[in-house]
Amino acid sequence: MDDLQQLVQKLQNTRHLEKEEWAALIRGRTDMLAEYVFSLARKERHQHYGHDIYIRGLIEFTNYCKNDCYYCGIRKSNAGVMRYRLGEEQILSCCSAGYALGFRTFVLQGGEDGWFTDERMIHIVGAIKSRFPDCALTLSIGERSKESYQALFQAGADRYLLRHETFNAAHYSLLHPSSLTAASRQKCLWTLKDIGYQVGAGFMVGAPGQTPEYLAEDLLFLEKLKPHMVGIGPFIPHHATPFAGEPAGTLEETLFLLGLIRLLLPKVLLPATTALGTIAPNGRELGILSGANVIMPNLSPANVRENYTLYDNKLCTGAEAAAGIQELKDRMCAIGYQIVTDRGDSRM
Ligand code: SAH
């Protein structure tokens, strides 16, 4: 057994590594080391969640955004985007369609759109929770005030996804304009957790300027925050952003990090993301085989889907769309897993 394999064992035994150890693992990745990580990660995952895969119906309800993140295709300065908002009735009909397909978690995701005031969001959250009382509702609508988060929780929202994007402040400011800071992003996550949400943090793999040391800091932050969910996927360039010419993150590094995160937080809810499915045709299957246990198919109405392009070539049809759930079920069955009709709450 070599030094890096020993580090992986240490991670599994203690759920902790020092920063230099994380960086060494990430820098020293080989196919053999990755296979070792995946086999341990699958064992953990099977112990806590068996071979079940939880699904979440993703409703991208607005692509208006007041922010200008350098990597994101729906950033404010991209004038080439056809902007749209879904109304409450449209959102509810996405949920109905999803419910019939077996979804018991809905995720409302959008840009930071001032039109969706607390009052409007509270109304939408209340309507969804009263129509679908056996479903969990996740929000992913960026940074808001503590009062706003509190009011939405009170209205019935159960979970909140807010990727921290990168822990390191200098790296954060390489990816975002100065109006956005790592500190404020992280503070939101602590606040959400405090209020009682199941929270999801996460980051892009292979984001411009990312180093093994920065990734090590991300993993140390996850250890500290102990989120219920962690969303990671490869960075994929969008042609109309400042990062148009940057290389995408790799499949191999993303899978490796999925496996490591499963070993760090054994009970975490870990999606094989759309971005992962976008960079490789079997990306989602490989994600599941690396330790992921969640998939988030798209429930947005077909006519708006192509306008929610965070990055180029984003998948939104076939097994990627909620309506393609049978194909997804078949594909997961083929690798020995089953999609279940369940809220899929965290076991933490
Ligand atoms: N406005 C919400 C939702 C953001 S979109 C929020 O602030 O949380 C969801 C995630 O997509 C982001 O957190 C980011 O990590 C990811 N994303 C954005 N642009 C991307 C790109 N070019 N490649 C890969 N992932 C991207």
Side-chain angles (χ1 to χ4, degrees), residues 266-278:
K267 297 184 182 174
V268 77
L269 294 162
L270 195 58
T273 55
T274 305
L276 186 60
T278 298

Side-chain angles (χ1 to χ4, degrees), residues 184-198:
S184 139
R185 193 86 177 167
Q186 289 156 26
K187 189 159 172 241
C188 286
L189 279 163
W190 289 109
T191 302
L192 288 161
K193 208 169 177 214
D194 240 29
I195 291 172
Y197 284 96
Q198 296 181 36

Side-chain angles (χ1 to χ4, degrees), residues 72-74 81 238 305-314:
C72 184
I74 62 167
V81 184
H238 183 286
R305 245 180 254 161
E306 65 183 45
N307 298 320
Y308 198 85
T309 30
L310 305 176
Y311 44 83
D312 290 340
N313 307 313
K314 179 167 164 271

Side-chain angles (χ1 to χ4, degrees), residues 71-73 109-112 140-142 161-163 165 185 204 234-238 275 308 310-311:
Y71 46 83
C72 184
Q109 188 179 83
E112 289 196 16
S140 178
I141 51 176
L161 300 180
L162 186 82
R163 292 185 175 183
E165 309 297 357
R185 193 86 177 167
M204 293 178 290
F235 159 74
I236 303 175
H238 183 286
Y308 198 85
L310 305 176
Y311 44 83

Side-chain angles (χ1 to χ4, degrees), residues 190-254:
W190 289 109
T191 302
L192 288 161
K193 208 169 177 214
D194 240 29
I195 291 172
Y197 284 96
Q198 296 181 36
V199 301
F203 52 88
M204 293 178 290
V205 178
Q210 190 174 66
T211 62
E213 285 72 23
Y214 288 158
L215 282 169
E217 292 182 41
D218 290 323
L219 294 160
L220 290 172
F221 175 64
L222 293 179
E223 181 192 344
K224 209 161 148 202
L225 179 68
K226 298 194 184 356
H228 307 79
M229 309 168 275
V230 174
I232 67 162
F235 159 74
I236 303 175
H238 183 286
H239 62 276
T241 64
F243 291 151
E246 298 290 329
T250 67
L251 174 70
E252 290 75 15
E253 189 167 38
T254 307

